[in-house]
Amino acid sequence: MKSLYQNYFKKNDNSDPILKTLKNVPIFENLSDKELSDVARLTHERTYKKDEHVFKKLAPAEGMYVILDGEVKITDSDSDTIFATLGSGDFFGELALLDEEPRSASAIATLPARLIGFFRTDLLTLMKRSPELGNKILLNLSRVLGERLRRTNQELAKPSQ
Amino acid sequence: MEILPFLSSIIGMLVFSFLFTTIFLQAVDSIERYTRSRALGVFLILSTTIMIGVLFIGSFISNLGSQIKLFTQKIQREDFTTSIENLSISIRDSLPDMIANLIPESEKIILIAKNVMVGIFQSVLSLLGSAGSLFFIAFMVLIFTIILLIEYHDFKRSLVRFMPNKYLEVGLRMIYNIELQISKYLRGQILAASSVAILSIMGLFLLNQLGANITLIVFIGIIAGLANLIPMVGPFIGMIPAILIALMNNIGSDIALNHQIFGSIPSPFFVLDIIIMFIIVQQIDNNFITPLVVGESVGLHPMAVMLVLLIGGTLIGPLGMLFAIPVAGVLKVVMTEIIFITKNSHLL
């Protein structure tokens, strides 16, 4: 009954680290405090040990992760290329919110890490329960992906050296 | 060992609460969408359902009561015995000697008929007698359902918390597919049951126009619809109340006794008419409605469906048959995921 209490009697706690972190993620931009706490209620907080895989390349993909604290590297285990090293407040794996393609790279915790998982099934539930909020998130997600596409195009347009 | 029956009744209550939760979950989710309050959604949905349920059961009991009263008066009159006697003679005459000899003498038939009727009434009465404990169980199921409906998404989240990181995403997919499987199955079944109920009511109404004199047709239709939820045997169970009521109402009437379909096939008390009507309803349901609304809801082979039903029926009885198909559907999802995990363990 704890969540019943939280739902109706307890005021939104802005000092909640999950809410604070989610607020700064572009995908959850422009959400009201109430909406943000609705999203937070659907997310899953997970802890990972150092060197533990968050997911492996080609594994079935179900959703995105936001780093609460710790460090995660995105890497291609076949070629040992490190694409990015991400820290607190960063997010990865958001493409999986939209399609069911397998992971294109591996994610490994390089330090003990606490992550917030937001999965496709949660997004689908949210779209059913609160379509307005679901649409906001989808629009933000499209913005993030569009921005990334634009950047890739610019990279490609650069004359090769 | 003494704790076992106690535990099984609690598990039964939880199973029913979970079932109701799955049935009402989507409706509560959609009300929450407009009212922004989940508790209000649960209250609206459950109170409406309870009100309809109470009205239905209440009027069914009172109607059944007056039906039984009428019938008891009829039985006490002389013509009941003569009517049964006439029936047995007419059946005997229409059959070849070899089979006719197997049918007991008229007096014995009257005795059997009376005993069967008394037996039915007694079981109805004892059912009413157990209403006390039934009320308690219903109350507990209601409480569990309210809690499950309000807290459903949080319960699911707590369940996910216990999953190891390695299996998190596969586990989430499994939960989602199980939910999808159950809700698809339930929605299909509810739609199919309602269509069978409506078609049966229409069929009984038509039979009444032909003089079948069947009362309580709405209740008979709804019972047939509900019985239809049990695959394969359900449709036959659905016919029984209609046949019983036709017998009760028409006993003593010579026209009903000598009724013939198309003026040639004997159908005493419209029994054959009722059976044919239900078979037509079944055919419409099986060939047009179910494929449309249920589709390949659980995707089980017909042979597997039969086996699963047999296992469910043997282990738990009619209730087992009711739950056999969705449980098999869930097991199929779980097995598919387990096979996937074992084949792709290097990816997890």
Side-chain angles (χ1 to χ4, degrees):
Chain A
M1 290 310 245
K2 193 180 150 210
S3 56
L4 198 71
Y5 162 74
Q6 280 174 341
N7 281 349
Y8 303 105
F9 305 112
K10 199 178 162 191
K11 285 198 171 150
N12 279 338
D13 191 355
N14 277 326
S15 61
D16 184 345
I18 294 184
L19 283 181
K20 246 167 131 183
T21 311
L22 287 182
K23 207 171 188 147
N24 295 320
V25 175
I27 290 172
F28 303 119
E29 233 171 35
N30 301 327
L31 301 192
S32 67
D33 284 350
K34 166 85 174 62
E35 288 173 328
L36 208 61
S37 68
D38 281 350
V39 172
R41 275 180 60 203
L42 283 175
T43 57
H44 307 269
E45 193 186 325
R46 314 289 302 182
T47 46
Y48 293 83
K49 287 189 276 259
K50 188 177 181 286
D51 294 329
E52 188 179 350
H53 270 94
V54 180
F55 52 73
K56 287 182 183 168
K57 188 183 172 183
L58 296 180
E62 289 297 315
M64 64 173 277
Y65 294 87
V66 180
I67 304 173
L68 208 53
D69 48 54
E71 198 180 77
V72 173
K73 68 172 177 187
I74 310 296
T75 164
D76 185 345
S77 35
D78 300 333
S79 60
D80 276 336
T81 325
I82 297 175
F83 297 119
T85 304
L86 307 170
S88 175
D90 290 336
F91 62 95
F92 57 96
E94 67 283 357
L95 257 181
L97 287 177
L98 295 177
D99 65 9
E100 294 182 39
E101 290 296 306
R103 298 285 186 194
S104 53
S106 300
I108 303 166
T110 42
L111 291 174
R114 266 197 315 148
L115 308 182
I116 308 165
F118 181 66
F119 299 100
R120 192 169 52 242
T121 55
D122 302 326
L123 182 60
L124 291 174
T125 311
L126 200 63
M127 284 162 69
K128 244 191 279 170
R129 290 169 71 186
S130 167
E132 207 181 312
L133 176 53
N135 281 341
K136 270 189 189 174
I137 293 174
L138 277 182
L139 195 66
N140 286 339
L141 188 60
S142 323
R143 241 182 240 141
V144 167
L145 295 177
E147 173 61 31
R148 196 165 301 160
L149 185 67
R150 195 171 296 127
R151 240 186 292 158
T152 314
N153 283 343
Q154 280 167 359
E155 289 283 321
L156 285 173
K158 274 184 197 166
S160 54
Q161 289 161 354
Chain B
M1 268 295 146
E2 281 190 6
I3 202 161
L4 215 63
F6 179 67
L7 260 182
S8 72
S9 78
I10 288 185
I11 290 171
M13 284 181 209
L14 283 174
V15 166
F16 272 99
S17 318
F18 186 73
L19 186 78
F20 286 127
T21 305
T22 329
I23 292 174
F24 297 128
L25 189 65
Q26 287 217 324
V28 170
D29 278 353
S30 2
I31 291 186
E32 187 191 12
R33 193 186 301 171
Y34 298 108
T35 60
R36 303 214 161 260
S37 160
R38 197 166 179 80
L40 184 65
V42 173
F43 172 76
L44 282 177
I45 293 287
L46 289 185
S47 54
T48 316
T49 313
I50 291 170
M51 224 144 68
I52 294 172
V54 166
L55 275 177
F56 175 77
I57 294 172
S59 72
F60 179 63
I61 288 177
S62 73
N63 275 307
L64 194 71
S66 48
Q67 182 85 32
I68 288 174
K69 212 164 151 191
L70 264 174
F71 183 64
T72 332
Q73 285 166 0
K74 214 177 222 176
I75 273 188
Q76 278 154 3
R77 286 209 307 268
E78 201 52 39
D79 52 4
F80 171 72
T81 348
T82 8
S83 170
I84 293 271
E85 218 171 290
N86 289 343
L87 176 66
S88 77
I89 289 166
S90 72
I91 290 174
R92 239 168 204 280
D93 289 347
S94 61
L95 292 173
D97 277 351
M98 196 175 71
I99 304 171
N101 288 336
L102 293 174
I103 296 176
E105 293 297 316
S106 319
E107 296 80 36
K108 279 186 193 158
I109 286 198
I110 294 164
L111 203 71
I112 291 168
K114 274 189 173 165
N115 283 343
V116 167
M117 290 299 175
V118 168
I120 289 170
F121 294 154
Q122 270 173 352
S123 48
V124 167
L125 283 178
S126 70
L127 200 75
L128 291 178
S130 64
S133 68
L134 208 70
F135 182 77
F136 172 72
I137 291 172
F139 182 72
M140 288 315 289
V141 168
L142 176 69
I143 298 288
F144 287 148
T145 310
I146 291 174
I147 294 173
L148 272 173
L149 273 174
I150 293 183
E151 304 270 308
Y152 183 81
H153 298 288
D154 295 306
F155 274 136
K156 209 169 75 182
R157 216 158 71 112
S158 320
L159 189 74
V160 172
R161 199 167 293 157
F162 294 108
M163 275 183 202
N165 287 337
K166 203 174 158 179
Y167 300 112
L168 174 67
E169 299 198 11
V170 182
L172 279 170
R173 193 175 64 186
M174 186 160 30
I175 293 179
Y176 185 74
N177 284 341
I178 289 175
E179 278 181 332
L180 205 69
Q181 183 89 320
I182 297 178
S183 76
K184 236 164 66 177
Y185 177 79
L186 277 177
R187 221 172 328 147
Q189 287 298 78
I190 290 168
L191 276 170
S194 328
S195 67
V196 167
I198 292 168
L199 285 174
S200 305
I201 293 169
M202 278 159 56
L204 291 167
F205 179 76
L206 274 178
L207 287 184
N208 273 350
Q209 302 306 307
L210 300 171
N213 189 20
I214 302 166
T215 43
L216 303 179
I217 55 171
V218 175
F219 297 109
I220 297 174
I222 291 172
I223 290 170
L226 288 176
N228 196 60
L229 292 176
I230 306 173
M232 296 188 189
V233 241
F236 298 100
I237 301 173
M239 292 178 188
I240 296 171
I243 294 174
L244 275 179
I245 296 229
L247 283 176
M248 281 160 81
N249 284 351
N250 291 320
I251 268 180
S253 147
D254 282 338
I255 306 167
L257 178 65
N258 300 316
H259 170 70
Q260 290 177 329
I261 301 175
F262 306 125
S264 55
I265 310 158
S267 165
F269 301 117
F270 292 85
V271 171
L272 201 61
D273 299 56
I274 293 170
I275 292 173
I276 291 174
M277 189 277 289
F278 273 106
I279 289 175
I280 293 172
V281 168
Q282 281 315 311
Q283 290 311 312
I284 296 175
D285 174 53
N286 289 342
N287 296 314
F288 300 106
I289 297 162
T290 306
L292 263 178
V293 298
V294 187
E296 351 166 307
S297 66
V298 279
L300 288 174
H301 191 272
M303 183 76 182
V305 169
M306 252 194 272
L307 273 175
V308 159
L309 280 177
L310 271 176
I311 296 170
T314 322
L315 289 180
I316 322 176
L319 221 68
M321 296 182 103
L322 191 64
F323 288 115
I325 303 291
V327 167
V330 168
L331 284 180
K332 197 186 159 202
V333 171
V334 175
M335 285 308 288
T336 317
E337 291 300 330
I338 288 176
I339 290 170
F340 177 85
I341 290 171
T342 45
K343 269 190 186 161
N344 299 285
S345 55
H346 61 285
L347 291 177
L348 303 174

